[in-house]
């Protein structure tokens, strides 16, 4: 089982969230996506954040070794080499064969990262508070409150470069296209398929989210198992 953030979050939304909450979560995301060793703690002014980041990175590294490494796709991590041996990230069966459009999304990559979850949270639960290490737990709580077990977001699988003017949408500002959040693959798939067909783009995917406590976990289901043959970011 994945380790969890040991730093408590105040129940009162008006109370300041300790910096250690985000520090641990940021460190954990880096640790589980940076095999094989624990990543170096970044230089920051806040020692509490730095100490928590180190704790999180150690926990993430341990979980990566036991639970499997996760690809920080939208953070610009290098693409796995399809011909590589002993590569840290491996595709899995998506398990979506029962869906009408499941045959186009048979492969799944375990990923981590807050960026796309901020977009999903904004669409699925407008007004909920994300950031500060809270995005994962807020999204999981919103899914529990609405009785939803999975969410799907159509996304592009490459960055065309950051937007010249900020839009306030973190994926758009990072140069990625995305569609609308849906509660089933068959609802989301046509958007990804149309994006590829209309824009004549080869690489698109569905981002699949299932509640995972506070963690920024999601699966990336590339359309027709196609991944861009370039370094991302």
């Amino acid at each position: 089982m994945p380790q969890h953030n040991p730093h408590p979050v105040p129940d009162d939304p008006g109370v300041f969230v300790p910096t250690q909450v985000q520090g641990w979560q940021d460190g954990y995301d880096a640790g589980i996506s940076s095999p094989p060793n624990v990543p170096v703690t970044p230089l920051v002014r806040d020692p509490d954040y730095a100490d928590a980041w180190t704790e999180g990175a150690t926990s993430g590294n341990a979980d990566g070794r036991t639970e499997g490494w996760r690809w920080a796709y939208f953070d610009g991590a290098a693409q796995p080499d399809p011909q590589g041996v002993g590569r840290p990230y491996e595709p899995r069966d998506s398990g979506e064969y029962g869906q009408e459009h499941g045959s186009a999304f048979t492969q799944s990559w375990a990923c981590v990262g807050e960026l796309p979850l901020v977009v999903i949270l904004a669409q699925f639960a407008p007004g909920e508070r994300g950031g500060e290490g809270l995005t994962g737990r807020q999204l999981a709580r919103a899914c529990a409150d609405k009785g939803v077990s999975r969410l799907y977001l159509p996304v592009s699988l490459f960055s065309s470069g950051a937007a010249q003017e900020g839009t306030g949408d973190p994926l758009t500002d990072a140069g990625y296209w995305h569609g609308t959040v849906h509660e089933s693959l068959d609802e989301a798939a046509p958007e990804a398929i149309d994006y590829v067909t209309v824009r004549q783009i080869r690489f698109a995917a569905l981002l699949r989210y299932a509640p995972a406590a506070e963690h920024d976990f999601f699966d990336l289901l590339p359309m027709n198992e196609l991944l861009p043959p370039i370094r991302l970011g």
Side-chain angles (χ1 to χ4, degrees), residues 168-189:
D169 181 299
L171 279 181
T172 300
D173 289 345
Y176 295 95
W177 168 86
H178 71 81
T180 305
V181 174
H182 298 277
E183 295 181 19
S184 76
L185 181 143
D186 280 338
E187 292 174 332

Side-chain angles (χ1 to χ4, degrees), residues 156-177:
S156 63
L157 277 186
F158 66 94
S159 174
S160 59
Q164 293 184 352
E165 295 184 6
T167 66
D169 181 299
L171 279 181
T172 300
D173 289 345
Y176 295 95
W177 168 86

Side-chain angles (χ1 to χ4, degrees), residues 23 26-44 49-58 61:
D26 289 349
Y28 182 94
D29 291 357
I32 202 170
S33 62
S34 305
N37 301 316
V38 178
V40 176
T41 303
L43 296 176
V44 294
Y49 177 93
D51 289 345
W53 197 100
T54 302
E55 295 171 2
T58 301
N61 179 266

Side-chain angles (χ1 to χ4, degrees), residues 2-190:
Q3 299 180 59
H4 295 289
N5 196 325
H7 300 282
V9 175
D11 292 329
D12 187 341
V15 175
F16 175 76
V17 178
T19 188
Q20 292 95 326
V21 173
Q22 182 168 1
W24 191 95
Q25 205 64 51
D26 289 349
Y28 182 94
D29 291 357
I32 202 170
S33 62
S34 305
N37 301 316
V38 178
V40 176
T41 303
L43 296 176
V44 294
R45 293 180 179 275
D46 189 334
D48 291 336
Y49 177 93
D51 289 345
W53 197 100
T54 302
E55 295 171 2
T58 301
S59 297
N61 179 266
D63 283 353
R65 293 176 182 275
T66 58
E67 305 283 331
W69 304 104
R70 287 181 169 269
W71 186 11
Y73 184 96
F74 293 102
D75 293 328
Q79 174 190 328
D81 180 0
Q83 306 300 322
V85 177
R87 52 191 183 275
Y89 313 111
E90 296 281 355
R92 306 171 183 175
D93 189 318
S94 71
E96 297 283 0
Y97 295 104
Q99 306 297 320
E100 178 183 355
H101 296 288
S103 61
F105 301 94
T106 59
Q107 192 180 82
S108 171
W109 295 81
C111 294
V112 66
E114 185 181 32
L115 188 68
L117 299 192
V118 171
V119 172
I120 294 177
L121 180 65
Q123 288 193 18
F124 182 67
E128 289 288 350
R129 180 185 180 189
E132 297 183 292
L134 301 176
T135 303
R137 71 180 66 219
Q138 294 292 359
L139 186 53
R141 182 179 300 172
C143 285
D145 290 344
K146 298 184 180 184
V148 173
S149 61
R150 284 187 174 183
L151 294 171
Y152 297 82
L153 178 71
V155 292
S156 63
L157 277 186
F158 66 94
S159 174
S160 59
Q164 293 184 352
E165 295 184 6
T167 66
D169 181 299
L171 279 181
T172 300
D173 289 345
Y176 295 95
W177 168 86
H178 71 81
T180 305
V181 174
H182 298 277
E183 295 181 19
S184 76
L185 181 143
D186 280 338
E187 292 174 332

